[in-house]
Each structure stands twice: as structure tokens, then as C-alpha cells.
Amino acid sequence: MYIIFCNIAYLRYYDGRIAGEMNPTTGGRWVQENEDAHEKWNFLNMDGRCYGFVKAIGEEFHIEKFDDKYRHFDETNNVLVIWCAAHPQRGTVIVGWYENATANRFLKEMRCTPASGIERYYWFECSAEDAYLLPEDKRTFNIGRAAKDGVGKGFGQSNIWFGESAYAKENVIPKVLEFINSHKEDRINILTKEFLDTGDKTPLTKEEEEYANELTDDQNLEYLPFGYRIYANNPTADNAYAVAVALNNCYQYSMAIPWFEKTVELDPDDIYARGKLAYIYQQLEMYDKSTETVKDLLDRISDEEADLRDELYCILADNYYFDGKVEESITWLERVLQESRNEDLLSYTKDMLKKRKKHL
């Protein structure tokens, strides 16, 4: 096992929440000026995975510092990532950690599609079940700062610290391992099991039904237990779609797919469910399935559905491009130029064509 300490902005949840939660603190000039932080997503469960970002120095993460044998590798596994942040009163504390993580040499970009709506970059990734975010009252373990405590005893100027000094190996890391092993039950990040159908088919009471109907559009996780029971007692396309949308909005794409497929099975004319499926298949790199879904949908829509047609052409162009089929991608971008009346889209498509033709 390899270990690394990463210093990030201080937040409560790290699941994307900023507004109404807590402005990020102690995260550097950009964080302070923008009241935002890319690491705000570090403990978001996205389809069973967590993706971690830290503002590192330079464009390359030197994973050979774990072991020289990784000098010519782009990633390494079995990494323990200790996430730290400067608490306004307590100093730099451990806020959480990843176990069994993958560390990447180069910053990775998570493709942004309408399925996620999130532009993400990350150095580390792990299973959501291997991510541990502590509640604020458990963030009590302090990590030193070289400027105050001495060289080799904590973070220097960089936001990453390998803890490679003799002092760290003898005095810091053993205590850190003891701390995290004794606080695993305290984590507050959402695990994949919390999205699952428990199999409860009990009809909703009048009070439960009223409560479920009052839930807002951003309370998807809270709605799911009710949605599963509603569908179990009334298996309609609308009820299947409600569960699918809730899972999709919780970023659980693999779990949402069968519910969108069930919606289409129950209502073959539901073009919205088919459109969602096309995006989610693409998000999960199931390009053939996405393309098949789009082409089927193109045969179903009317000539008046110009905006949807444009959207579908763009999905096809991206599917082929992401799948390494640049010529096919260009063909569909040219279809957009020929048929679209959307000026903004036309301008974007022209730029995209120039970029993709360079890959031929």
C-alpha cells in the first residue's frame, strides 16, 4: 500500500454542494475569489465511483515517488489517499480518505454530457465503498505544516505530501492508520447500497403519499424508497420513469438504465426516455447501444422536432468520435451544418469540425 496526503479546501460534504452549505475556505486565491472549489465533488458517488481532485503543482503527478518502478507508468493502484483541509479553528485536519485508490500521472478529464452536467478533472479514483468522509465533529486528527512544525513533519508548499520522511514513517503514518481504522463507521458519504430497491412492496399510506408528492426535484435520494414501492403496486410507464429519473439525477446511471428501458417497454412512444437512454449509454461508453437508440429515435420523430434532431445528430457525432471513428463523426457534424437552423449550434459545430479534421 502507498500513502499520500492531499490538502484541499475545507467543506462539509464534498458532494457538489456549495450554495447554502458553506463557502469553501482555506483553499487558495482562486477558491476565495470564486467561492468555489473543484474538490467539492471528491466524495460524490457517481455510478459507484468517487473521483478526487487536488490542486497540485505542475501538470504531472510523479507517481514514481511511490516506487521507482512506476517511472514509465501512467497510473498505479493500491493507494491510500488522505484528504486534509485547514479547519477555520482546528488547523489542518483529516476530513476523509480513499482506500484502494488509483492514482494517475496526468490529470484526467471526465467527459461532460447532459447526463451528468458536470465538468470534472481528477487525479484519483476509487470505489464509492472505499471512500470515507468524516462528519465535522470527527475531523480531529491534525496534520502538520513544515513551516511551523519542521521539514518532514507535514505539508510544505505543495498541496501533496508523500510522508516519506523518517519522522512521518515513525510518528505520523502509524497514528493516521490507527485513526482511520477506528473511524470507518463514522463516514457520511452516500454508498451505492443506499440507492438500491429493498424489495419493500408495502402500499404507501396516505401520509407517505402526501409526503412523497411534496418532495422537491433535488430530493431524489429521499424519493427513491417511495418510488420503488409506488411502482411495485402500480407498474406503469410513468412510475418507472419517475424511478429512472431519480436514479439518473443521483448520478447512478447503471442503475437507471433498466428503469428507462422498462419505461420504453411499457410505453414505446416515449421519446424522452429513449433520449435519456442515448445519453446514459454514451456516459457509460456504450457507444453502439447509444447509436442504435439514437437512430431508432430518428426514425420515430417528426420533421417538426428540429431541436431534438439536432441533439441526436450531435450524440451520434460524439459517439463515433469517442469510439475512435473520426470520419463517421465528421459526417454527422456536417449533417448538423446542412440541416440545423440553430445559429449557436452552427457556430459550435464549425469549430468542432475544424478540430476533428485535424485528427484524420
Side-chain angles (χ1 to χ4, degrees):
M1 179 184 73
Y2 306 111
I3 186 168
I4 186 170
F5 297 82
C6 296
N7 181 56
I8 56 179
Y10 190 90
L11 291 168
R12 287 196 182 104
Y13 302 111
Y14 297 95
D15 62 359
R17 279 179 276 186
I18 291 290
E21 185 253 322
M22 173 185 283
N23 287 337
T25 61
T26 62
R29 180 181 300 173
W30 190 92
V31 170
Q32 297 305 311
E33 290 178 352
N34 294 274
E35 294 189 347
D36 201 353
H38 203 70
E39 54 263 44
K40 69 183 180 182
W41 304 106
N42 281 9
F43 284 88
L44 174 69
N45 180 336
M46 181 174 281
D47 211 36
R49 306 286 293 173
C50 285
Y51 301 87
F53 174 84
V54 59
K55 181 65 175 177
I57 294 177
E59 299 181 355
E60 183 176 347
F61 177 59
H62 294 283
I63 59 175
E64 65 270 16
K65 288 189 176 182
F66 290 127
D67 192 312
D68 192 62
K69 68 182 181 181
Y70 295 116
R71 182 171 297 277
H72 301 295
F73 287 76
D74 286 341
E75 66 177 41
T76 182
N77 300 313
N78 196 28
V79 179
L80 173 62
V81 184
I82 306 295
W83 297 105
C84 307
H87 186 276
Q89 288 83 41
R90 301 174 192 161
T92 301
V93 295
I94 295 176
V95 298
W97 63 92
Y98 288 176
E99 296 181 357
N100 305 309
T102 296
N104 297 289
R105 178 177 298 279
F106 301 104
L107 191 64
K108 283 200 168 184
E109 180 178 3
M110 183 181 295
R111 187 163 58 254
C112 175
T113 74
S116 69
I118 300 175
E119 294 181 2
R120 303 252 333 251
Y121 300 88
Y122 62 94
W123 295 105
F124 307 96
E125 63 178 292
C126 72
S127 165
E129 313 308 304
D130 286 331
Y132 296 81
L133 177 66
L134 294 174
E136 287 200 90
D137 64 340
K138 301 296 183 181
R139 300 176 184 180
T140 57
F141 194 105
N142 286 88
I143 299 296
R145 293 279 179 174
K148 177 182 177 182
D149 302 302
V151 177
K153 295 184 177 182
F155 286 101
Q157 292 183 338
S158 174
N159 282 321
I160 58 175
W161 179 47
F162 287 87
E164 67 269 43
S165 67
Y167 178 88
K169 292 177 180 178
E170 294 173 9
N171 298 282
V172 179
I173 292 177
K175 293 178 181 178
V176 167
L177 296 178
E178 181 181 355
F179 174 78
I180 67 175
N181 284 330
S182 64
H183 285 78
K184 290 188 175 184
E185 299 301 320
D186 296 320
R187 65 175 162 187
I188 59 173
N189 49 300
I190 299 172
L191 305 180
T192 302
K193 65 182 181 181
E194 297 178 49
F195 300 105
L196 296 174
D197 183 0
T198 64
D200 183 0
K201 298 182 179 181
T202 308
L204 269 62
T205 64
K206 183 179 180 180
E207 290 76 14
E208 287 177 324
E209 187 174 345
E210 291 176 352
Y211 179 75
N213 290 333
E214 290 174 357
L215 292 173
T216 61
D217 290 340
D218 60 352
Q219 292 178 292
N220 297 283
L221 180 58
E222 195 169 351
Y223 171 78
L224 276 172
F226 299 110
Y228 287 131
R229 288 166 59 192
I230 291 171
Y231 178 81
N233 287 279
N234 187 17
T236 65
D238 286 343
N239 290 338
Y241 187 75
V243 172
V245 168
L247 287 167
N248 178 77
N249 291 345
C250 288
Y251 310 106
Q252 302 306 303
Y253 307 124
S254 296
M255 295 172 63
I257 282 176
W259 286 94
F260 279 121
E261 291 175 339
K262 192 174 296 186
T263 302
V264 171
E265 180 183 341
L266 293 167
D267 182 4
D269 296 324
D270 190 331
I271 61 174
Y272 300 103
R274 291 178 184 273
K276 287 282 190 180
L277 270 172
Y279 276 124
I280 297 176
Y281 287 145
Q282 185 185 88
Q283 184 84 6
L284 299 183
E285 301 181 8
M286 301 167 64
Y287 303 123
D288 289 343
K289 290 278 287 184
S290 179
T291 296
E292 178 185 346
T293 302
V294 169
K295 290 185 176 180
D296 178 72
L297 190 49
L298 283 170
D299 290 337
R300 293 173 179 271
I301 63 174
S302 65
D303 293 337
E304 286 73 30
E305 298 279 359
D307 290 342
L308 177 57
R309 183 198 61 218
D310 289 347
E311 197 172 342
L312 295 174
Y313 284 173
C314 289
I315 296 175
L316 287 173
D318 286 344
N319 282 345
Y320 284 119
Y321 179 75
F322 296 146
D323 203 22
K325 302 172 182 176
V326 181
E327 290 185 0
E328 288 90 336
S329 173
I330 289 174
T331 297
W332 287 100
L333 289 177
E334 290 174 340
R335 288 281 295 270
V336 174
L337 292 181
Q338 293 167 4
E339 300 181 29
S340 179
R341 298 295 178 267
N342 185 321
E343 293 299 327
D344 290 336
L345 178 60
L346 289 173
S347 177
Y348 170 81
T349 302
K350 288 176 183 177
D351 291 340
M352 194 58 60
L353 262 176
K354 291 179 183 178
K355 293 178 181 178
R356 294 189 179 176
K357 284 182 178 180
K358 292 180 180 179
H359 292 277
L360 290 177

